[in-house]
Amino acid sequence: MRPVRYDRFYTYAELTETLEAWAAEAPGLFALESLGRSYEGRDIWLATITNVETGPAAEKPAFLLEANIHAVEVTGCTAALHLVHRLLTGHGGDPNVTRALDTRAFYVVPRLSPDGAELALAERPRFLRSSVRPYPRLDPEDGLHEEDVDGDGRILMMRVPDPNGAWKEAEEDPRLMVARGPLETAEDGRFYRLLPEGTIRNWDGVTIKTPPPLEGLDLNRNFPMEWATEADQQGAGPYPTSEPEVRAMVQAVVDRPNIVAHIAYHTFSGVHLRPYAGYDDDHYPTPDLRAYKLIGEEATRLTGYPAVSIFHDFKYDPKQTIKGGAHDWLYDHLGVISWTTEFWSPQREAGLRDYHFIDWLRDHPVEDDLALLRWSDERFGGRAYVGWYPFEHPQLGSVELGGWDLMNFWANVPFEQLEAEVAPHSELALFHLLVSPRLEVHSLDVERMGEGAYHVRLVVLNSGWLPSNVTQKAVERKAVRPLEVELTLPEGARLVSGEERTEAGQLTGRVEKRSPLWWGNDESTSDRAKLEWVIEAPAGSELGVEARHQRAGVVRRVVELR
C-alpha cells in the first residue's frame, strides 16, 4: 500500500495521485469519487472506505471526515491521509479497524478547498483564508499585500526603523519585538514599525494601508446554519452555499443520511471544539450535551487535546459569535455529532500551560515569548523564529525580514512532528465511528399455527452505544426517520395480521447508562423492537425480512416457512 509522506505537504497533483493509487490497490475497501469542482475547476475528492463484501457503505453507519477548508491549514489533509492509510493497512489485522470497516463506513474529504491550498504550497506562496474567488470586491485595493518578496518560499515580517514605531527590541533577546512603553519618546531608543512581508500597491511614499484581501471568502462561514450577510459575518459569501466547495459538501451530506458523526480538521490551537458557536450549553438537549462531554473525555484521553465549547471557550471576540459554520449546521440542522479539531499548539509544545486559546494571542507576558524562542532554537535550530536579516525592499528601501515562520510552525505542524501529532486522531476517528448505533437481528422465529398458517416474530436491536437517532436534536428537527421493517411475501402468500411495511420508532443505546446508584437509569429493553405477523403461505416457501434505519444500518434475512 502506498505510504503517506510526512516530510512534505501534498500538492493537489500528489494528493490525486495518492488517492488514485489507493483506489487501484484496494478496490474492495476504497472507492474514489468527485463531489464536485472547486472555483478553479479542480475535483473535490471524496474517499469511501468500507468492506464492500459486507455491504455497501450506504447501508452502514458512517463517519465523515473533512479537512483543509482553510487554504493554509494543510496539516488537516495529511491527517486525513493518515487515517485512510491506517484503515487500508489495518483491515484484517487490527480488530478495531476490521470491525469498523466490516460494519460501518468512512467518508473522507481530504481537501475541501484545493485552490487556496495550491497557492499556499507554491514555490512563492500566497496565503488566503479559503477560496481564490474575488469577493466581495473584484479588484485589489491600494495598500500592503502579503508577498514573498525575497523569494525564499516564506512570508515573514518586515521591521522598518521608524521613530514613531510601536515596537522595540526586547532587552532579554534583541530578536524579540515588544511593545513600546506608553511614555517612551523617539529619543529613548530605536523603534520599529512591524509589517507583513509584502509589497505596497500604489504607494504614495508615506501612507501604508492594510486593505482587506481581494479573496475575502471564508468557506466555513458559508454553511446554512444562521448564515449572516457580509455586513454581519465577514467572508460569508452572497448567500448560504453560494460557493461550489461548500455546496458540494452540503449536497454530499444530504445524499448520505447514514452519516452519524463528523470531524473537520483545522489548525491551530491543539483543541477539540464542539458546537455551539453562538449559544451556551443550555441550548443542548440534556442527553446530547452528556454524549458530547463523554466523547470529549475520550478525545482528550486519546489525543491529549482538551475538548471545549466554542461559545464558552473559543470566541474570537467576546461580543461576537461565528455564524455559518459546518459544525453548527451538521449538529443543529441534522442532529449529527460534529466537532472541529484544531491541530497543534506551539505554546503547549514550548511548555506553556493554563493559557486562554484566543486571549493569549492578543496579549501575554514576555516570558511566554522567550519560552517560545527557546523552543524554536532548541527544537528547530531557529527555523521557527527567523532572526532578522537585512533586505533591500523595492519600495521601502533598507528593511529587515524575520520573525515567526507562521505557515510552517504555527499554522501547520512541523514535519519533524507531523506523523506523531496526527496519528492519535486516527484512533479517535475509529472510536467515534464504533460508538455509533448498529442494527442487528436478535432473533427471527417461525411457528406453525395450522395448515398453511405461520406466526413470524422478529426482534431487532441496537448494539451501539449511541441511540439509533444519534442525538435528541435529530428527533426535534425531524432529521431522522424511525426504524422501518418490510416483508417480501412469497408468491401465493397472504398477510393475515401485521403490516407488510411498518415503522418501529427509535432504539436507545447505552450512552445514558450512569452509576448503578442513579435512580433514573432505564433498564428496559428500549434498545429492542419486536414485530409479529401471521402469514398464510405454501409450506416451504421463503419469506424475506428487511429492517433498515438511516443511521443504524440495514439487515436482511430470508426464512423458510415450514
Side-chain angles (χ1 to χ4, degrees):
M1 191 65 59
R2 175 178 290 215
V4 179
R5 294 185 61 174
Y6 299 99
D7 61 348
R8 61 186 297 119
F9 292 119
Y10 284 21
T11 64
Y12 180 77
E14 292 168 326
L15 171 63
T16 300
E17 182 183 353
T18 299
L19 296 172
E20 289 176 342
W22 285 340
E25 292 170 341
L29 296 175
F30 182 97
L32 185 64
E33 62 186 294
S34 173
L35 294 183
R37 290 183 177 270
S38 67
Y39 174 74
E40 290 188 332
R42 293 179 175 87
D43 283 306
I44 302 168
W45 297 119
L46 168 71
T48 300
I49 307 99
T50 192
N51 181 6
V52 296
E53 292 184 358
T54 60
E59 296 185 356
K60 299 172 179 175
F63 177 91
L64 172 64
L65 176 63
E66 157 251 319
N68 214 167
I69 191 173
H70 289 147
V72 303
E73 298 172 11
V74 287
T75 290
C77 179
T78 300
L81 295 179
H82 182 280
L83 172 63
V84 176
H85 187 263
R86 168 92 171 85
L87 298 173
L88 297 181
T89 57
H91 184 262
D94 184 289
N96 280 344
V97 172
T98 303
R99 182 158 64 100
L101 298 191
D102 287 352
T103 62
R104 294 164 170 87
F106 282 91
Y107 298 125
V108 178
V109 182
R111 182 167 287 166
L112 187 58
S113 181
D115 302 344
E118 282 299 278
L119 286 180
L121 297 172
E123 288 187 9
R124 295 193 73 158
R126 285 188 59 215
F127 299 153
L128 311 178
R129 181 60 169 165
S130 291
S131 172
V132 301
R133 182 169 87 87
Y135 183 87
R137 54 199 57 80
L138 298 178
D139 298 301
E141 294 187 14
D142 292 349
L144 179 65
H145 293 268
E146 285 190 359
E147 182 184 345
D148 175 16
V149 294
D150 65 344
D152 67 353
R154 303 174 299 191
I155 298 178
L156 303 172
M157 295 294 291
M158 302 189 296
R159 71 177 190 181
V160 184
D162 187 331
N164 203 41
W167 303 92
K168 64 179 182 178
E169 294 178 345
E171 294 180 2
E172 298 87 346
D173 190 320
R175 294 176 298 170
L176 179 62
M177 305 304 293
V178 296
R180 174 180 180 170
L183 300 182
E184 288 184 305
T185 68
E187 290 73 30
D188 292 329
R190 184 175 176 83
F191 301 105
Y192 298 86
R193 193 174 297 273
L194 286 179
L195 302 168
E197 181 179 348
T199 55
I200 306 168
R201 177 184 170 88
N202 293 329
W203 190 41
D204 61 8
V206 177
T207 307
I208 302 176
K209 303 176 184 177
T210 304
L214 176 63
E215 303 89 349
L217 287 164
D218 185 337
L219 298 181
N220 203 32
R221 308 294 183 265
N222 191 231
F223 287 87
M225 169 66 178
E226 295 191 343
W227 176 90
T229 65
E230 187 73 17
D232 296 319
Q233 178 66 79
Q234 185 177 356
Y239 57 87
T241 72
S242 61
E243 306 313 302
E245 298 87 351
V246 175
R247 188 161 59 250
M249 177 176 160
V250 167
Q251 189 63 56
V253 172
V254 171
D255 290 344
R256 292 164 177 80
N258 59 321
I259 292 173
V260 300
H262 160 260
I263 294 181
Y265 280 173
H266 290 243
T267 55
F268 71 102
S269 285
V271 66
H272 302 290
L273 303 175
R274 58 174 168 82
Y276 285 93
Y279 298 101
D280 64 25
D281 284 349
D282 288 342
H283 207 67
Y284 277 102
T286 299
D288 292 2
L289 181 58
R290 172 172 169 76
Y292 257 112
K293 287 185 174 181
L294 290 172
I295 293 170
E297 290 173 5
E298 184 65 10
T300 299
R301 188 190 71 80
L302 289 171
T303 67
Y305 289 11
V308 305
S309 158
I310 300 170
F311 181 87
H312 293 287
D313 304 296
F314 208 82
K315 279 185 181 178
Y316 294 116
D317 186 305
K319 294 185 178 181
Q320 295 179 356
T321 58
I322 296 171
K323 300 174 176 63
H327 41 225
D328 278 4
W329 172 67
L330 277 150
Y331 172 69
D332 193 87
H333 285 202
L334 304 179
V336 167
I337 293 181
S338 178
W339 296 87
T340 293
T341 291
E342 299 277 359
F343 282 100
W344 184 236
S345 170
Q347 303 100 312
R348 201 177 298 145
E349 292 292 318
L352 307 186
R353 297 291 182 268
D354 301 323
Y355 59 90
H356 189 276
F357 297 107
I358 303 301
D359 291 347
W360 184 92
L361 296 172
R362 296 191 186 95
D363 192 20
H364 52 263
V366 67
E367 289 76 17
D368 288 2
D369 285 314
L370 294 171
L372 283 159
L373 280 178
R374 287 193 297 272
W375 167 72
S376 170
D377 293 341
E378 295 168 4
R379 183 71 181 86
F380 302 109
R383 289 183 295 117
Y385 191 96
V386 180
W388 300 97
Y389 60 94
F391 177 72
E392 196 64 25
H393 192 276
Q395 295 162 310
L396 298 172
S398 297
V399 302
E400 291 176 285
L401 302 181
W404 286 108
D405 182 353
L406 295 175
M407 170 67 181
N408 295 304
F409 293 90
W410 282 77
N412 290 289
V413 182
F415 298 135
E416 292 91 332
Q417 294 180 232
L418 183 55
E419 183 176 9
E421 188 76 17
V422 303
H425 297 265
S426 294
E427 305 312 307
L428 173 58
L430 273 169
F431 167 82
H432 217 313
L433 182 55
L434 287 172
V435 301
S436 66
R438 181 164 187 259
L439 191 62
E440 294 186 14
V441 173
H442 176 273
S443 59
L444 178 56
D445 300 312
V446 176
E447 179 184 358
R448 186 171 179 270
M449 300 180 64
E451 190 63 35
Y454 303 90
H455 174 247
V456 178
R457 187 185 74 169
L458 169 71
V459 179
V460 293
L461 61 82
N462 171 23
S463 64
W465 184 70
L466 290 171
S468 58
N469 47 288
V470 179
T471 64
Q472 186 62 33
K473 181 62 71 175
V475 176
E476 291 179 5
R477 293 295 198 194
K478 295 183 169 35
V480 61
R481 292 183 55 78
L483 171 66
E484 298 173 329
V485 180
E486 186 171 6
L487 301 180
T488 301
L489 296 171
E491 187 176 352
R494 183 175 75 90
L495 192 60
V496 178
S497 70
E499 300 290 333
E500 191 169 343
R501 180 175 178 177
T502 188
E503 295 180 351
Q506 304 291 346
L507 305 179
T508 62
R510 301 187 303 278
V511 62
E512 281 300 305
K513 303 303 180 186
R514 309 187 186 190
S515 163
L517 299 176
W518 173 242
W519 60 269
N521 276 337
D522 179 7
E523 296 302 334
S524 66
T525 54
S526 53
D527 57 328
R528 299 178 187 174
K530 181 180 72 172
L531 300 104
E532 298 180 276
W533 303 269
V534 174
I535 300 171
E536 290 182 349
S541 57
E542 292 184 336
L543 173 70
V545 182
E546 178 179 290
R548 56 181 175 266
H549 190 282
Q550 290 170 304
R551 297 183 176 183
V554 179
V555 291
R556 297 182 181 89
R557 295 290 185 272
V558 175
V559 62
E560 186 176 356
L561 302 175
R562 60 167 65 247

